Amino acid sequence: EAGVAQSPRYKIIEKRQSVAFWCNPISGHATLYWYQQILGQGPKLLIQFQNNGVVDDSQLPKDRFSAERLKGVDSTLKIQPAKLEDSAVYLCASTSQGGIGNTIYFGEGSWLTVV
Amino acid sequence: KQEVTQIPAALSVPEGENLVLNCSFTDSAIYNLQWFRQDPGKGLTSLLLIQSSQREQTSGRLNASLDKSSGRSTLYIAASQPGDSATYLCAVFDSGGGADGLTFGKGTHLIIQP
């Protein structure tokens, strides 16, 4: 079974530039999450999708971050304009039904450095 | 708001030792608790999932316990090996704030010396 796929793996951009990350969850998984992990910290939930609808985006900095999940499969996370403090690993995760009682599977992450 | 704390933040032990990693959480109304492993430059790999109704789960040399009422979990690693070196993250699954997501601790960075 293929895992959660993310791209690009690594990205270096200058502040005020934009960047987009792509995620392809495990086939059949209805729930998709984006997490932000700053160095030395645990991951922090940014947004949760159930199929193509947003369940919660309360921790997403909406002035610069946006995310979509068209057709309920792949998802993209965009940052525009980037700030230095956005340097982090962006982890995509998926699970079959909302996560309750189910293992959540993570991708290998997209590593962002803002200079 | 749920908060997860992991102790110690870092641990270095000789190969072969048995060791315990600790996790505590502030809100006991959780659905489950997961322990993850994170290798440098990699994503998270789920090690063990304990449902709120369970007391422990075992996988190979790993044993995780859950005391939901006291808000504590431990991960026991038996006969540690250099390949166990990684960061171990504890996360609780609850439905606070409308999202059904995981709240993570900061992790325990483990080094097993050959």
Side-chain angles (χ1 to χ4, degrees):
Chain A
E1 178 183 78
V4 178
Q6 292 189 244
S7 68
R9 288 295 318 280
Y10 305 96
K11 192 75 175 180
I12 301 174
I13 62 172
E14 295 182 349
K15 59 183 179 183
R16 291 187 290 274
Q17 287 187 327
S18 64
V19 63
F21 301 116
W22 172 83
C23 172
N24 179 240
I26 292 174
S27 177
H29 280 191
T31 303
L32 184 148
Y33 308 90
W34 282 102
Y35 284 84
Q36 179 193 56
Q37 185 178 23
I38 293 172
L39 186 66
Q41 304 285 320
K44 182 186 82 170
L45 180 66
L46 292 177
I47 188 169
Q48 177 189 355
F49 291 95
Q50 183 72 21
N51 296 307
N52 62 348
V54 175
V55 174
D56 185 77
D57 61 359
S58 58
Q59 298 193 82
L60 188 72
K62 298 181 190 62
D63 58 334
R64 298 181 301 105
F65 286 65
S66 64
E68 61 181 9
R69 190 184 185 196
L70 300 176
K71 301 181 181 179
V73 180
D74 294 1
S75 177
T76 57
L77 175 70
K78 297 180 182 178
I79 308 174
Q80 181 181 15
K83 292 185 175 181
L84 296 177
E85 58 260 36
D86 298 333
S87 295
V89 182
Y90 292 87
L91 295 162
C92 180
S94 71
T95 189
S96 56
Q97 287 182 20
I100 297 176
N102 298 312
T103 298
I104 296 179
Y105 297 89
F106 283 80
E108 294 203 326
S110 291
W111 297 69
L112 174 65
T113 300
V114 182
V115 297
Chain B
K1 178 185 174 185
Q2 182 74 267
E3 292 184 4
V4 179
T5 302
Q6 291 189 244
I7 296 173
L11 184 62
S12 180
V13 299
E15 179 179 5
E17 284 199 6
N18 303 323
L19 50 97
V20 175
L21 308 182
N22 296 292
C23 171
S24 62
F25 46 96
T26 54
D27 186 347
S28 61
I30 64 170
Y31 292 114
N32 61 51
L33 181 145
Q34 281 188 246
W35 283 93
F36 291 88
R37 169 183 173 139
Q38 187 172 32
D39 292 284
K42 300 290 187 180
L44 280 66
T45 301
S46 180
L47 297 173
L48 290 163
L49 169 69
I50 311 177
Q51 303 293 351
S52 62
S53 58
Q54 296 175 323
R55 299 284 292 183
E56 65 177 338
Q57 283 286 338
T58 298
S59 175
R61 295 181 294 106
L62 305 179
N63 175 275
S65 67
L66 174 64
D67 184 342
K68 185 180 167 185
S69 60
S70 67
R72 295 174 189 271
S73 176
T74 61
L75 178 67
Y76 176 83
I77 303 177
S80 59
Q81 302 171 357
D84 296 330
S85 298
T87 296
Y88 290 81
L89 291 155
C90 167
V92 296
F93 192 98
D94 59 22
S95 59
D100 295 332
L102 292 167
T103 301
F104 283 85
K106 292 184 178 181
T108 293
H109 182 55
L110 177 63
I111 296 176
I112 306 299
Q113 306 155 12

